[in-house]
Amino acid sequence: MKQSLASILALAAGSYASVIPSSREMSLLPRQACEHGPKSRKCWGEHSIDTNYYEKVPDTNHTVEYWLSAVEGPCSPDGYERTCMTFNGTIPGPTIIANWGDNVKVHVTNNMKSNGTAIHWHGLHMKENVLADGVPGVTQCPIAPGESMTYQFRATQYGSSWYHSHFSLQYSEGLFGGIIFNGPATENYDEDLGTLLLQDWGHKHAFELWHTAKGGRPPRLDGGLVNGTNTYDCTGSTDPKCLGTGKKFEAVFEKDKSYRLRLVNTAVDAVFQFSIDGHKLKVISNDFVPIVPYETDSVQLTVGQRYDVIVQANAAPGDYWLRGGYVGTCAPNAFPQDITGIIRYDASSTATPESTSTVTPSNSCLDEPGENLKPHLSLDVGNMPSVIFTELDTVTDSYFKWTINTSSLILDWKDPTMAHVFRNESVFPTPYNVYPVNKKTDAPEWAVLVIQDESGFNLAHPIHLHGHDFWVLAQASGVFNGSTESFNTKNPPRRDVATLPGNGYLAIAFALDNPGAWLVHCHIAWHASQGLSLEFVEDVDKIKVKEADKKVFEDTCKSWSLHTPAWPQDDSGI
């Protein structure tokens, strides 16, 4: 899968022709006040990298529109044939590209024969737009087979992310794609190579492996993919499904140019320590938050996390391994060392790289060091009247489950949390794990969530909050002492996925500024299915929903109620 820079852009233009309006140029549009370019990446018209993006958003008066079809069919992304679930027949699906401030409209049709689906737009705040968050059982009913739903939202943030099915384990089967919201950056660079999605990959269906996970053991996957492709060694195999047709992801550097890579961990259960042999990485953002740049040999991503990095093409011309850097101590994998791609300085080269890595392999399943993740836009945490303390543990009844304050999340797809809100109910079903949070004054307020791991398993958990960025107040092994005095409230790391250390605790704060029903969950797919989640219903009396959106909600639920699932719900629902 070799691509020169010119062919990458040509391929992008061709691949997206069916989903991006022809009137919209792929390149960035010049703005009045300050033109964004290779020497001025901090500029963005009348806005800049210094703009408080929580309060101000460019008014572009422009809408980008996409059509996604969820389908099932044969695939062999690593050269081993199996059936996949995909958007528009590819892994990953089409990249959603917009400019900061654009309106985005995505038409999703479920063309799968026996599965419902719902699409979550990972990390997007969805201000005053909770019904577009895409969580079945929380913000919508699933889209029934043969039905369609249009998601509409505004790109109020900028940076890199991904979208994925939030219906059970579907994204593990291939139902995901990248998101790029163009905007300013904290460092200059010459060219943007787009999203680079890192994932583990199995030759058995995730729903088959779920039977192993239900027993409490993490299933072993067979390898991994880099931007949806890799090679699986079929030498000597008699398995007719082992085709040996896989290809390595390849990109071509031009000497002395600088390149932006948008790294995304889209795995089922994997931590990656990404690196490129012979090259340094300059990290410029985590999740949707621009940070003060720092240089490193590698960067570590837990599931759902994103890091944008700039790579200077200053090595001796040749061929170099791009390494996913699967951290083997975090989850089992049959061929973790083979999750690689190739960087070439000569587009005509077909040589196997002979480069070696000087990176010290990680044994940690945790995040990048917090001291490195300094947000460029400095924001402190203020008044914290709401502190919610929770304990993480496990229970085994019909299957192994994670519990928060002794309750494991189980949703009812046909009766979402927002349906209870619309019925003005003050009590939610116990398995929905709902925690009401309410703003008490007109002044800015933050709610604080503390999760203490009491399970004794010493497993790290990447915790994702919907509807908000959060400030990481504390993240440590051991037992939280109950005091907020030690919290780091002065411009701490800010993001939407942070890792709870095994047998430790995580304390996060989020601004009470977005009324809605917002999921909080571990992004390890097995753990999410095992119920490691809770919901915040934020300022229920202030939730704003347009009548047209509510009608879509009701129509989707009506269609789902008329559908008879081929298989009963067998997990938490998310």
Side-chain angles (χ1 to χ4, degrees):
M1 193 173 180
K2 185 188 302 181
Q3 295 168 291
S4 69
L5 295 176
S7 65
I8 287 173
L9 296 176
L11 178 61
S15 299
Y16 302 144
S18 63
V19 291
I20 296 181
S22 58
S23 61
R24 178 68 160 182
E25 293 295 328
M26 287 288 291
S27 60
L28 301 175
L29 300 179
R31 299 300 201 249
Q32 280 185 335
C34 180
E35 184 173 351
H36 179 90
K39 305 297 183 183
S40 55
R41 295 297 185 187
K42 296 181 180 181
C43 296
W44 197 258
E46 296 179 354
H47 300 75
S48 75
I49 194 65
D50 299 321
T51 301
N52 186 337
Y53 45 84
Y54 296 103
E55 299 176 354
K56 297 179 181 179
V57 180
D59 190 359
T60 66
N61 292 314
H62 185 81
T63 298
V64 295
E65 198 164 5
Y66 295 82
W67 286 262
L68 299 178
S69 172
V71 296
E72 295 169 287
C75 70
S76 52
D78 62 352
Y80 188 98
E81 189 173 46
R82 50 159 292 180
T83 301
C84 296
M85 298 177 180
T86 66
F87 290 111
N88 297 9
T90 65
I91 298 177
T95 304
I96 304 295
I97 301 174
N99 280 348
W100 182 25
D102 282 351
N103 297 305
V104 182
K105 183 182 291 187
V106 186
H107 308 281
V108 177
T109 299
N110 181 5
N111 284 311
M112 298 184 291
K113 294 181 179 180
S114 56
N115 275 269
T117 197
I119 312 307
H120 173 58
W121 315 93
H122 185 101
L124 275 64
H125 294 158
M126 297 297 179
K127 277 285 188 74
E128 298 184 358
N129 194 18
V130 63
L131 296 186
D133 195 45
V135 184
V138 178
T139 63
Q140 68 171 91
C141 295
I143 305 169
E147 299 294 328
S148 299
M149 177 176 169
T150 296
Y151 294 87
Q152 300 184 70
F153 47 87
R154 193 175 179 204
T156 60
Q157 302 146 271
Y158 56 86
S160 313
S161 195
W162 59 310
Y163 62 93
H164 60 85
S165 170
H166 225 305
F167 185 102
S168 189
L169 293 163
Q170 281 184 352
Y171 90 75
S172 310
E173 297 288 278
L175 272 177
F176 63 90
I179 294 176
I180 296 175
F181 290 160
N182 293 310
T186 55
E187 188 76 17
N188 291 331
Y189 56 90
D190 293 314
E191 295 193 30
D192 189 339
L193 294 186
T195 52
L196 190 71
L197 279 52
L198 305 172
Q199 66 181 107
D200 46 10
W201 185 247
H203 295 160
K204 293 182 178 179
H205 297 292
F207 295 98
E208 181 180 350
L209 296 174
W210 170 234
H211 295 293
T212 298
K214 287 172 72 174
R217 293 180 292 114
R220 186 182 77 161
L221 272 63
D222 298 288
L225 307 176
V226 178
N227 262 9
T229 190
N230 203 359
T231 56
Y232 185 79
D233 188 1
C234 291
T235 304
S237 175
T238 59
D239 186 343
K241 295 181 179 180
C242 208
L243 307 178
T245 54
K247 296 180 180 180
K248 290 291 184 184
F249 168 82
E250 298 187 13
V252 177
F253 282 180
E254 183 178 332
K255 178 70 173 174
D256 295 328
K257 278 195 171 183
S258 55
Y259 299 93
R260 179 176 183 168
L261 296 174
R262 301 167 180 266
L263 309 177
V264 189
N265 184 336
T266 63
V268 180
D269 182 8
V271 177
F272 290 104
Q273 184 190 13
F274 176 85
S275 66
I276 301 174
D277 289 359
H279 297 76
K280 297 281 189 179
L281 311 176
K282 183 169 284 188
V283 186
I284 63 170
S285 69
N286 65 189
D287 299 349
F288 269 127
V289 178
I291 63 173
V292 176
Y294 71 95
E295 192 171 83
T296 182
D297 291 326
S298 66
V299 64
Q300 184 150 308
L301 305 87
T302 62
V303 185
Q305 290 186 335
R306 293 89 68 205
Y307 288 96
D308 285 24
V309 301
I310 295 172
V311 184
Q312 188 74 31
N314 55 9
D319 304 290
Y320 295 88
W321 286 117
L322 176 153
R323 301 181 189 271
Y326 190 99
V327 182
T329 54
C330 304
N333 192 285
F335 295 100
Q337 72 281 357
D338 291 340
I339 307 174
T340 56
I342 300 173
I343 298 295
R344 302 194 187 279
Y345 280 70
D346 180 354
S348 66
S349 174
T350 59
T352 299
E354 297 180 357
S355 64
T356 57
S357 176
T358 58
V359 173
T360 301
S362 173
N363 291 317
S364 166
C365 305
L366 304 179
D367 300 336
E368 282 286 285
E371 58 268 23
N372 290 343
L373 307 179
K374 183 180 179 181
H376 173 83
L377 177 66
S378 182
L379 296 173
D380 299 339
V381 178
N383 186 24
M384 301 180 291
S386 303
V387 179
I388 297 132
F389 181 80
T390 63
E391 292 185 348
L392 175 65
D393 214 328
T394 65
V395 66
T396 300
D397 41 37
S398 56
Y399 59 90
F400 177 90
K401 297 172 183 173
W402 294 93
T403 63
I404 293 180
N405 286 352
T406 73
S407 178
S408 184
L409 181 98
I410 299 179
L411 299 170
D412 182 350
W413 287 327
K414 70 178 181 297
D415 193 22
T417 304
M418 284 303 299
H420 294 263
V421 170
F422 292 146
R423 295 195 296 262
N424 295 315
E425 295 175 4
S426 58
V427 178
F428 297 88
T430 298
Y432 281 33
N433 283 5
V434 169
Y435 289 77
V437 287
N438 299 293
K439 201 165 182 288
K440 297 177 173 58
T441 68
D442 292 333
E445 292 180 13
W446 283 258
V448 175
L449 171 66
V450 180
I451 307 176
Q452 175 72 58
D453 180 11
E454 296 285 357
S455 70
F457 285 103
N458 196 28
L459 296 177
H461 301 276
I463 302 298
H464 175 48
L465 170 64
H466 291 214
H468 296 270
D469 287 338
F470 55 69
W471 286 249
V472 181
L473 304 177
Q475 190 177 24
S477 58
V479 179
F480 175 58
N481 64 10
S483 171
T484 62
E485 296 298 319
S486 62
F487 284 168
N488 177 14
T489 60
K490 300 297 183 183
N491 195 35
R494 195 169 65 244
R495 58 189 320 166
D496 58 64
V497 181
T499 303
L500 165 66
N503 298 342
Y505 60 92
L506 174 70
I508 60 175
F510 60 96
L512 291 172
D513 59 3
N514 194 15
W518 306 115
L519 196 67
V520 186
H521 64 96
C522 175
H523 222 298
I524 294 172
W526 313 122
H527 296 180
S529 284
Q530 292 162 343
L532 206 170
S533 179
L534 59 85
E535 297 180 62
F536 285 121
V537 173
E538 179 181 348
D539 280 314
V540 66
D541 295 334
K542 299 177 183 177
I543 296 175
K544 296 180 180 180
V545 174
K546 296 176 182 177
E547 282 303 316
D549 294 339
K550 187 176 180 182
K551 186 177 188 308
V552 170
F553 175 92
E554 292 169 345
D555 290 347
T556 303
C557 284
K558 183 178 180 180
S559 295
W560 181 252
S561 70
L562 299 174
H563 169 67
T564 302
W567 298 282
Q569 182 177 335
D570 192 31
D571 67 357
S572 68
I574 61 168

